[in-house]
Amino acid sequence: MSSVDGSVRGSVDVLVEVTDLTVGFGSLRAVDGLSFRLEKGAALGLVGESGSGKSTVASALLGLHRGTGADVGGSVRVAGIDVQEASDADLGRLRGGRAAMVFQDPLSSLDPYYAIGDQLAEVYRVHARVSRRAARARAVDVLDRVGIPDAARRSRSRPHEFSGGMRQRALIAMALACEPDLLIADEPTTALDVTVQAQILDLLHTLREETGLGLLLVTHDVGVAAESVDEILVMRHGRAVEHGPVGAVLGAPTAQYTRDLLGAVPRVDARRALSEASSAAPEVVLEATGLRREFGRGKRAFAAVDDVSLTVHRGETLGIVGESGSGKTTLGRMLVGLLKPTAGEIKPGGGVRPDVQMVFQDPVSSLNPRRSVGESIADPLRARGERDEERIRGRVRELLERVGLEGAHYDRYPHEFSGGQRQRVGIARALAADPRVIVCDEPVSALDVTTQAQVVALLGELQRELGLALVFVAHDLAVVRQVSDRVAVMRRGRIVEQGPADEVYDSPQDPYTKQLLAAVPALDPDVAAQRRAARRELATA
């Protein structure tokens, strides 16, 4: 394989050296005096909440702030090159040649119109003077290396024909095409199921073992860091709060912020104090029997949900877990009335039709950016016939305050709120209809752990105050255990196991449930290593 320019390919033991890095955007100081080093073959995790500056640091390593108007100070050296002083040509050779980046959302990083293999081959030809045939062969080789089955055939597929996990593997393959010394992975598993997440993390670990690749992992998920890195650097407000070996930082953190961050992480092995609904003979507020939902027609028809029955009781939380494609979101949309079942029925408990509302995964896409949040929250009130604008505005202010925002926020727009605040707006809108049941579809999956904990606590508080029943749909098993009285596990449209949360988690009966639980990241690096070895042994058996 052709090498990049010798001026970039220096022989150094220190792969990354950052000294007193500052990055400012106008009056905002996103990174403030950060310093760290990364040796060849080592792995460092940048951990922190949204807005801590960790992604800004990752971008600075490749000089991606150049030309954006950002004010960058300090020193950044990557693979022997001074990123601040490098020419545009040298930076071009560095990016993809010696250092490569894998982003959170593969769909936004891959061209939807071109085959995956063609995109990989093009990246390779930018850095290596080879023929198109050789570049295509290289593309197939790296796709096979990252675990894409039948790589030669699948290389001709377009991004939409790949699953989320396969698209992330394709991005990693693209990053590996030129055999870089450094891989920067920015939230590479955030949108993935626990089993697919475990596969991606195992892949990164194997690549490090086989190639000596250095890894900089950017994540808000402490468990993902525990699975993947040697050292952790905890960031807050652009600064380093704590930095050290992963076992020491997670096992005996010295900074209060690190302790708070770890305290907010949901634990899959922690029992939950059951709600009052689970200790009595509770009222059934919603009952589904034999639900089936088909999509497509004729030979292409498939059942996303197949013969699902469940009950929801007043004041309890029913957790529904499963991987992408298991049918859990389709089930939730049927319960709320957004989808009509192909077969089966949904009945209200006691013959009284409950108001069922939904809180969506992505509050950005579920809120109209051209309307104030107050107007969005008011929609259910107007839909029920309320016409007195003064009463509507007063009720919306009450709802905003109930979810921890301010009544004066009525006239603000969605872009003026953080992710956690937007989710609170979504909850307020659901409450406006005075529901008896709220279906929460992945309501915290896009949030960092502390914001996640705040939203979960808010839902629990509202549930106790109002007697709400919650159906909590999520792929994060730890969060589901934290909030649920009962749990239903879905696979391929069916419920394979359901019961009290503690029974399902502590004594799972179905092999699929056991597989899901075994894939949950462990905060103890030693336990994580044992699980990784067990998964590897199982895969090669």
Side-chain angles (χ1 to χ4, degrees):
M1 187 182 87
S2 300
S3 66
V4 252
D5 186 273
S7 63
V8 178
R9 278 204 184 276
S11 177
V12 289
D13 291 329
V14 178
L15 188 57
V16 177
E17 187 164 18
V18 174
T19 306
D20 199 26
L21 174 66
T22 61
V23 182
F25 301 94
S27 60
L28 173 67
R29 182 66 66 91
V31 180
D32 190 7
L34 190 73
S35 300
F36 65 87
R37 294 170 57 151
L38 177 65
E39 307 287 335
K40 277 190 171 182
L44 171 68
L46 293 185
V47 177
E49 299 171 281
S50 298
S52 62
K54 54 190 187 297
S55 291
T56 304
V57 173
S59 295
L61 297 188
L62 296 181
L64 297 179
H65 297 306
R66 183 172 291 188
T68 66
D71 181 16
V72 182
S75 171
V76 177
R77 296 187 68 85
V78 177
I81 186 169
D82 187 327
V83 174
Q84 298 283 76
E85 301 297 328
S87 66
D88 289 343
D90 278 349
L91 271 186
R93 287 187 287 269
L94 175 67
R95 298 168 183 164
R98 296 298 305 279
M101 196 163 185
V102 176
F103 295 93
Q104 175 177 345
D105 180 13
L107 275 181
S108 65
S109 304
L110 295 168
D111 192 315
Y113 296 104
Y114 293 94
I116 294 285
D118 290 343
Q119 296 184 55
L120 266 71
E122 184 63 26
V123 168
Y124 185 52
R125 294 192 73 210
V126 167
H127 296 278
R129 296 180 180 178
V130 296
S131 67
R132 292 184 183 276
R133 180 187 294 271
R136 283 285 307 174
R138 176 64 177 167
V140 172
D141 179 58
V142 290
L143 284 172
D144 179 70
R145 188 177 192 176
V146 299
I148 298 293
D150 196 2
R153 181 178 65 85
R154 295 311 301 267
S155 70
R156 296 188 288 273
S157 300
R158 289 173 172 77
H160 74 274
E161 299 176 276
F162 274 26
S163 67
M166 287 177 65
R167 282 194 293 264
Q168 198 61 281
R169 287 175 184 267
L171 268 192
I172 293 172
M174 190 177 293
L176 294 175
C178 297
E179 298 184 351
D181 296 318
L182 171 67
L183 182 66
I184 302 168
D186 189 2
E187 301 280 9
T189 63
T190 295
L192 303 178
D193 309 313
V194 287
T195 50
V196 181
Q197 173 178 268
Q199 293 166 11
I200 296 299
L201 296 179
D202 288 351
L203 170 63
L204 292 175
H205 187 82
T206 300
L207 291 170
R208 284 183 56 214
E209 285 184 333
E210 293 177 352
T211 68
L213 185 73
L215 174 66
L216 183 78
L217 177 68
V218 176
T219 180
H220 68 260
D221 191 325
V222 182
V224 166
E227 290 266 347
S228 313
V229 301
D230 310 311
E231 293 190 355
I232 282 184
L233 192 158
V234 181
M235 292 188 66
R236 187 187 190 195
H237 301 326
R239 290 178 169 270
V241 172
E242 189 159 0
H243 182 193
V246 60
V249 172
L250 298 185
T254 59
Q256 183 59 48
Y257 175 73
T258 308
R259 291 195 288 269
D260 293 342
L261 201 63
L262 287 169
V265 176
R267 309 296 177 104
V268 76
D269 56 353
R271 289 182 166 232
R272 179 197 185 218
L274 297 181
S275 65
E276 294 179 5
S278 61
S279 58
E283 170 192 359
V284 174
V285 292
L286 193 65
E287 184 176 5
T289 307
L291 290 185
R292 180 180 177 86
R293 173 68 195 202
E294 296 178 357
F295 292 96
R297 295 180 179 178
K299 293 182 179 179
R300 294 189 175 184
F302 72 97
V305 173
D306 186 12
D307 194 25
V308 166
S309 299
L310 53 83
T311 56
V312 183
H313 302 101
R314 182 181 185 276
E316 77 160 352
T317 300
L318 171 65
I320 299 178
V321 298
E323 297 174 287
S324 296
S326 64
K328 58 188 187 298
T329 292
T330 300
L331 173 61
R333 289 175 179 266
M334 284 194 289
L335 294 178
V336 116
L338 293 176
L339 286 175
K340 185 178 180 180
T342 305
E345 62 178 338
I346 299 171
K347 299 184 296 184
V352 179
R353 173 63 184 169
D355 286 314
V356 184
Q357 294 293 311
M358 196 164 201
V359 174
F360 296 90
Q361 174 178 355
D362 182 8
V364 174
S365 61
S366 62
L367 293 171
N368 189 329
R370 295 182 176 86
R371 301 178 71 214
S372 72
V373 297
E375 287 300 297
S376 291
I377 295 170
D379 283 343
L381 300 174
R382 294 195 175 101
R384 295 168 65 188
E386 180 63 67
R387 294 293 178 265
D388 187 322
E389 288 301 315
E390 188 174 337
R391 290 181 61 182
I392 289 174
R393 186 171 281 266
R395 175 61 175 151
V396 171
R397 284 198 180 108
E398 289 177 7
L399 289 167
L400 284 167
E401 290 170 2
R402 170 156 259 175
V403 299
L405 299 173
E406 297 177 19
H409 289 163
Y410 186 108
D411 295 311
R412 290 190 180 182
Y413 289 83
H415 72 272
E416 299 180 78
F417 294 87
S418 67
Q421 288 175 323
R422 283 193 292 262
Q423 200 58 287
R424 289 173 184 265
V425 171
I427 294 169
R429 183 175 56 183
L431 291 175
D434 292 327
R436 302 179 77 196
V437 182
I438 294 182
V439 176
C440 303
D441 185 15
E442 300 278 10
V444 297
S445 64
L447 306 176
D448 54 57
V449 288
T450 49
T451 308
Q452 187 180 90
Q454 292 164 7
V455 172
V456 166
L458 171 63
L459 288 169
E461 180 183 321
L462 294 169
Q463 183 178 42
R464 289 188 295 273
E465 289 180 4
L466 305 175
L468 291 169
L470 300 178
V471 178
F472 200 96
V473 178
H475 67 261
D476 189 324
L477 277 79
V479 172
V480 169
R481 178 159 199 180
Q482 182 183 19
V483 303
S484 302
D485 301 300
R486 292 186 299 119
V487 172
V489 182
M490 291 192 69
R491 186 188 190 197
R492 297 176 182 171
R494 290 178 171 266
I495 292 179
V496 298
E497 186 165 359
Q498 66 176 313
D502 287 341
E503 291 183 13
V504 172
Y505 278 79
D506 293 340
S507 303
Q509 300 301 305
D510 191 88
Y512 177 68
T513 309
K514 296 177 182 178
Q515 178 187 346
L516 286 179
L517 290 169
V520 176
L523 286 177
D524 185 330
D526 293 333
V527 173
Q530 293 169 8
R531 290 184 178 181
R532 182 167 52 246
R535 289 193 296 265
R536 181 179 296 180
E537 185 176 334
L538 186 64
T540 56

